[in-house]
Amino acid sequence: MLDYIIVGFGLAGLSFSEQLQKNDKSFLVISEEDKSSSVVAGGMYNPVILKRFTSPWNAIPQLEYAIPFYSEIEQRLNVRVNNPLAVLRVFNAIEEQNNWLIASDKPNLSSFLSTSFEKNNNEHILADNDFGVVEKAGRIQVAKLLSACRLELLKNNSYKNEVFDFDSLNINGDSISYKGLKAKNIVFCEGFGLKSNPYFNYLPLNGTKGEVLIIKAESLKLDSIVKSGVFIIPIEEEDCYLVGATYHWTDKAWGTTEDAKLELIKKLDTVLSCDYQIVNQLAGIRPTVKDRRPLVGQHPEYKNMFVLNGLGTRGVMVAPTVSSELFNYIENKITLDVEIDIERFSSEYNRG
Ligand SMILES: Cc1cc2nc3c(=O)[nH]c(=O)nc-3n(C[C@H](O)[C@H](O)[C@H](O)COP(=O)(O)OP(=O)(O)OC[C@H]3O[C@@H](n4cnc5c(N)ncnc54)[C@H](O)[C@@H]3O)c2cc1C
């Protein structure tokens, strides 16, 4: 009998599978690969909300756990996926510089917001008021990370590329069975796919569609992330940048749209003055939750069924810590943080 079946292999499934590997648990991942938010993610980790210069929820402990977490995978699989990069925030007005300096005095932001502003030396970036520099930020190449880990699991016969068939799932007291397999536990890590999960679709996962462009700009030569109306993120292909992202709350289709492309171009053209070509456009649905906290925990009725979801807009930073919390909850009986525990939505389950 397996210890676990994991359904879904985005950042959530990958992070949970890492917890299992570290603790010598046996498992099988079942995942389709088409509808993945992780694959299109910019992959940025940025411990500052750059609209208002505030700190995201739990950013410091998340980052302290996430960076060594990704670095362990890099070493084990001999791949490079973490690119530390400064984020240069374009100031739209001098007043924003004052707000930045006030924020940089706050204990949870002081180690990230540099107090000396950087001059704009790039003739192709339109920024008259200098940049505020965010330190300790960067980008995880999420698609590359997922491919490397998937390959390792395939080699160990621990990965199946298929859509999970709920009709083939049987729950028997202290174990579950699925197409001839038996496991002690099942963990659903389906991102927005949770909407079609009959056991957990009572949870208030809203989903926020996001689109990005990949552009090629030969003369730009940026080696930091620039944040203005959009993020411009240097990526691994030569002279290419990821530009994004959009936020759309009602469209739940996975395809790209002309509207998003035009929105991104319009924002990009306010900050970029050089020629560029659009090489690609990608879309995904972020698993966002109405209270902006992850969805982690045990099914209200079936005690060997769990969920790891709701990573929202910051899966790169959030996934490693919440996967560890879920593992400790299941295996070591350590109580979940009430902010992430799905217990907070138990009334919605009872209503259904
Ligand atoms: C445009 C965009 C930009 C983003 N940029 C960033 C960023 O810069 N930094 C950041 O931290 N986050 C970013 N995010 C958010 C990030 O992508 C998410 O927080 C995170 O990837 C969610 O991971 P997940 O594993 O929960 O879901 P997903 O990545 O969606 O993975 C779920 C997986 O489960 C599979 N699946 C679902 N249902 C089933 C089923 N029934 N059977 C089999 N398989 C199933 C899906 O096919 C998929 O492979 C961005 C998101 C978008 C859309």
Side-chain angles (χ1 to χ4, degrees), residues 6-15 30-46 70 138-140 142 146 150 159-166 178 188-197 208-212 231 233 242-247 254 282-288 308-319:
I6 298 175
V7 180
F9 195 67
L11 281 166
L14 178 145
S15 299
I30 297 173
S31 185
E32 63 168 332
E33 281 149 35
D34 305 357
K35 292 174 182 152
S36 168
S37 173
S38 301
V39 169
V40 307
M44 214 172 41
Y45 53 91
N46 166 25
Y70 293 118
R139 172 172 182 257
I140 300 293
V142 180
L146 286 167
R150 186 184 300 115
Y159 189 96
K160 266 195 182 171
N161 179 0
E162 68 178 44
V163 177
F164 188 80
D165 171 21
F166 284 92
Y178 178 77
F188 290 103
C189 305
E190 303 153 287
F192 192 64
L194 184 86
K195 286 287 177 203
S196 314
N197 180 323
T208 309
K209 182 166 179 176
E211 298 190 47
V212 295
F231 282 97
I233 308 174
L242 188 143
V243 176
T246 58
Y247 289 79
W254 284 84
L282 302 165
I285 304 182
R286 305 169 182 92
T288 49
L308 183 58
N309 208 308
L311 301 183
T313 57
R314 292 179 176 263
V316 167
M317 278 173 63
V318 176

